[in-house]
Amino acid sequence: MATAAVLAFALDLVTGPSDLPVWDVVRGLFDGSALPAAQSFIVRDVRLPGALTAVLVGAALSLAGAEMQTILNNPLASPFTLGVSAAATLGAALAIALGVSIPGIGEAWLVSANAFLFAVGSVFLLQALARLRGRGPETLVLFGIALVFAFNALVGLIQFLSSQQALQQLVFWSLGSLGGANWTSVLLLSLAVALTFPFSYAARWRMTALSMGDERARSFGVAVGRLRFASLIRVSLLAAVAVAFAGTIGFVGLVGPHLARLIVGEDHRFLLPASALSGALVLSLASTASKTVVPGAIVPLGIVTALIGVPAFLALIVGRRERL
Amino acid sequence: MSAGSQGAAGLVVEGLTAGYGREDIIRDLTFGPFLEGEVTMLVGPNAAGKSTLLRALAGLVRATGSVRLDGAELTGLAPAKRARHASFMPQDLPGRVDLTALESVLSALMVTPDRSDDASVIRERALAALERLGIAGHALEPLGRLSGGQRQLVGLAQVLAREPRLILLDEPTSALDLRYQVIVMRLLRALAAEGRIVVGVLHDLTLAARWSDRIVLLDDGAIVASGPPDQTFTVERLRAVYGVESRVERCSEGTLQVLVDDAGELG
Ligand SMILES: Nc1ncnc2c1ncn2[C@@H]1O[C@H](COP(=O)(O)OP(=O)(O)OP(=O)(O)O)[C@@H](O)[C@H]1O
Ligand SMILES: [Mg+2]
């Protein structure tokens, strides 16, 4: 799977609207002076950060999705199940439509920063709500769904009130795009992944135990409530950063972990890294396709991800050894 | 064993009240000491509070009162610490998760990494536990493809591998065939003989009578009777607690049999 992810990354790198020959891309990467300045810029400051962002966003969302499916004990869960993306969209909408800003953050980062803050805020809100009642997965899901509806309603209200131009920008943002990728986004995404993965991986055994059910995990001595909370923080950090830089690319967080699970099973020693890889793979392929399916145009990434992911997913489900 | 020489050895419970939310299910139970080498079975009708009592001993439900193991208080210990002394097997079978039997036992061992043993030693321990339950041959099969009884054996292996002082098993034979019921009961005796305290729940009173040192008869959250099987199972008690007409007899070999002739009417 690692090999496939690297190949997809390479493929992503060599495709783009400017039709550079493959060889030029390779030369441009390794030797800054090999190409004319404009082409060199395309390779080094557009293609490379774009492709890296695809890998990182894919890995982040898929890793977050794997954790979410485990802590909610629900194969339909994704990083966005509990309102993280809805909250991020609300944050972005506020920034785009109303120019609501956070002091000290430049214009360029406004949308991302706002999306991020709202996403993280939603997790704390969720925890506060869940603490009022028991903390089982069902309670979390119910509160999460309530939050999703609340945020969506607020986004709708903003859309209703905002100008034509802001509306279009918002729709484009929410369809997902790597168009805004640059070295800063790559850096921040890498930081988020580098910061969370070690903690995810350290919890791998507890997560595996949790996949066998709350009571069993607790009987082994797992502090299930704390494990869920810590995991939710990681999920929201990953999802928030990914959404902030690439919009709401929902499907990868659902399908990435399933691809991984079909191959390595539920043991989180393998599931967590495999999910990150499969997410990177899916999104790299999607990014490549988004640049190639309609000649001369870039189709929004969120759409392509679903279009690519669904058939791959179905093929795997049909092809797997029979269970159940 | 562990410190605290005041108080008896073994499991001693005083004034244990436990329940869910605001509702108390078991009230003010006092019993013990249950000593190492002893197998105790909790019996009683559905919803009597047997599982709740085991959960309370394992520290998984809201509880007040004192649970002491070898003189050391367990109440208030952090989950990871407590699970080192007492391991609980839930009544539900392990789910049909995409984990191999071996992986599931490994995770039971690795969640509380109290030992510095290296990976191969831990793997050996997990395999040995599966071996003891006769399912080492299925170690690499996913739980989702095992039968109900096989999954119950895996659940037992998870507890066994953790090598706790206090073993708490909620209906350990509920999914097992005739032969494996006896194999597991014999194993419980062996575990007790190795210096552990075994407390379980059984619905099969004859099986419980044959293999336990002590029976605790629970009804509606309270202990109705407690003692050796032949003194605990009486026709009158079974009528009062279960509402059945039964015979308590000794077979030609001298072992106790509980035979139910009539279950009365519902309602
Ligand atoms: N998780 C729970 N939340 C709330 N109430 C519960 C919960 N589990 C059990 N109860 C209640 O506690 C009471 C005792 O249940 P418990 O599971 O301890 O019975 P039991 O003796 O193990 O019965 P069974 O033989 O059917 O397993 C029941 O009235 C039940 O409704
Ligand atoms: Mg029960």
Side-chain angles (χ1 to χ4, degrees):
Chain A
M1 192 179 288
T3 326
V6 170
L7 284 179
F9 167 71
L11 204 59
D12 190 14
L13 205 54
V14 298
T15 52
S18 48
D19 268 336
L20 290 179
V22 174
W23 176 235
D24 279 2
V25 176
V26 177
R27 275 199 309 159
L29 274 182
F30 292 102
D31 178 3
S33 55
L35 298 179
Q39 291 181 6
S40 173
F41 176 80
I42 288 180
V43 170
R44 299 187 142 217
D45 289 316
V46 178
R47 291 273 185 87
L48 190 54
L52 283 173
T53 302
V55 163
L56 288 166
V57 167
L61 288 179
S62 184
L63 179 62
E67 290 215 30
M68 203 66 149
Q69 288 169 6
T70 301
I71 61 173
L72 293 186
N73 186 24
N74 188 334
L76 292 179
S78 84
F80 300 159
T81 302
L82 299 185
V84 173
S85 71
T89 309
L90 177 60
L94 281 172
I96 291 172
L98 308 178
V100 174
S101 70
I102 307 140
I105 293 191
E107 194 71 27
W109 294 102
L110 191 57
V111 175
S112 298
N114 240 18
F116 178 75
L117 285 180
F118 272 73
V120 172
S122 76
V123 171
F124 281 95
L125 187 58
L126 185 69
Q127 280 295 330
L129 284 173
R131 198 154 296 178
L132 297 178
R133 301 238 351 112
R135 274 203 259 167
E138 300 85 5
T139 325
L140 274 177
V141 170
L142 290 176
F143 279 123
I145 289 172
L147 284 184
V148 170
F149 277 103
F151 291 140
N152 282 345
L154 289 175
V155 170
L157 184 64
I158 293 170
Q159 287 174 334
F160 180 67
L161 296 174
S162 62
S163 70
Q164 193 65 37
Q165 191 215 350
L167 193 59
Q168 203 171 0
Q169 207 187 335
L170 185 58
V171 168
F172 185 76
W173 183 85
S174 65
L175 283 177
S177 152
L178 297 174
N182 55 40
W183 283 110
T184 317
S185 59
V186 170
L187 181 71
L188 289 174
L189 275 162
S190 327
L191 265 179
V193 174
L195 215 65
T196 46
F197 190 77
F199 288 100
S200 294
Y201 198 67
R204 63 195 181 281
W205 289 111
R206 276 169 285 154
M207 295 293 266
T208 303
L210 187 60
S211 75
M212 287 189 279
D214 271 44
E215 189 172 36
R216 204 165 289 271
R218 293 181 63 214
S219 76
F220 299 153
V222 178
V224 165
R226 219 181 313 154
L227 179 65
R228 279 215 168 84
F229 181 65
S231 173
L232 265 184
I233 299 283
R234 292 194 292 270
V235 168
S236 63
L237 180 68
L238 289 170
V241 175
V243 170
F245 292 116
T248 52
I249 305 171
F251 195 63
V252 66
L254 176 64
V255 85
H258 280 291
L259 292 179
R261 196 174 284 114
L262 285 169
I263 297 168
V264 302
E266 193 75 37
D267 189 336
H268 284 58
R269 274 181 299 170
F270 312 120
L271 180 62
L272 294 171
S275 292
L277 285 176
S278 67
L281 170 66
V282 168
L283 213 56
S284 289
L285 288 177
S287 164
T288 310
S290 79
K291 291 182 281 188
T292 48
V293 278
V294 180
I298 298 186
V299 183
L301 192 56
I303 297 174
V304 182
T305 313
L307 290 181
I308 295 259
V310 170
F313 190 44
L314 290 180
L316 262 171
I317 294 174
V318 173
R320 75 172 169 167
R321 326 166 276 178
E322 212 31 67
R323 239 169 251 138
L324 284 185
Chain B
M1 299 293 304
S2 42
S5 50
Q6 24 79 290
L11 174 71
V12 180
V13 172
E14 277 169 35
L16 183 64
T17 295
Y20 310 90
R22 241 170 248 126
E23 191 190 2
D24 289 337
I25 301 293
I26 54 170
R27 285 169 305 273
D28 199 22
L29 300 190
T30 295
F31 54 82
F34 295 173
L35 301 175
E36 71 175 46
E38 291 182 347
V39 175
T40 303
M41 285 294 154
L42 313 176
V43 302
N46 291 135
K50 306 179 295 294
S51 298
T52 306
L53 174 52
L54 281 194
R55 288 190 192 116
L57 295 178
L60 303 184
V61 289
R62 170 184 65 72
T64 55
S66 156
V67 178
R68 266 173 289 134
L69 190 59
D70 305 322
E73 184 61 54
L74 292 187
T75 337
L77 280 188
K81 280 228 178 80
R82 185 159 183 162
R84 227 167 275 167
H85 301 290
S87 260
F88 166 65
M89 186 189 81
Q91 183 171 353
D92 299 335
L93 303 181
R96 298 187 161 275
V97 192
D98 201 351
L99 282 176
T100 67
L102 179 60
E103 285 167 346
S104 83
V105 178
L106 280 176
S107 84
L109 285 176
M110 295 296 294
V111 282
T112 43
D114 51 326
R115 302 164 204 247
S116 44
D117 294 342
D118 60 63
S120 67
V121 175
I122 288 178
R123 197 185 154 86
E124 284 309 312
R125 279 234 318 269
L127 276 172
L130 289 166
E131 191 91 50
R132 253 185 123 169
L133 285 150
I135 40 164
H138 297 288
L140 299 181
E141 275 202 52
L143 292 183
R145 286 201 281 170
L146 297 183
S147 76
Q150 289 171 326
R151 273 183 289 138
Q152 187 156 52
L153 295 174
V154 173
L156 281 163
Q158 292 168 353
V159 169
L160 220 67
R162 294 178 56 86
E163 300 176 356
R165 168 89 166 143
L166 175 60
I167 298 183
L168 305 164
L169 304 169
D170 202 345
E171 300 193 22
T173 59
S174 61
L176 301 181
D177 66 34
L178 283 177
R179 174 163 179 254
Y180 263 96
Q181 290 183 19
V182 172
I183 287 177
V184 164
M185 294 311 291
R186 206 171 56 196
L187 177 63
L188 298 190
R189 290 242 59 104
L191 289 168
E194 286 164 20
R196 298 173 209 289
I197 304 163
V198 179
V199 182
V201 171
L202 279 185
H203 276 305
D204 183 334
L205 303 190
T206 303
L207 195 67
R210 173 91 159 80
W211 294 96
S212 330
D213 304 295
R214 182 189 299 101
I215 300 290
V216 175
L217 179 59
L218 276 178
D219 190 23
D220 197 17
I223 294 177
V224 175
S226 168
D230 52 359
Q231 289 167 32
T232 314
F233 292 139
T234 65
V235 171
E236 296 73 35
R237 279 203 192 111
L238 298 183
R239 184 184 302 124
V241 169
Y242 288 95
V244 296
E245 290 309 321
S246 63
R247 283 172 285 151
V248 180
E249 295 175 349
R250 290 196 180 274
C251 75
S252 52
E253 304 270 305
T255 56
L256 205 70
Q257 312 268 350
V258 178
L259 303 157
V260 177
D261 296 316
D262 187 36
E265 295 304 315
L266 282 180

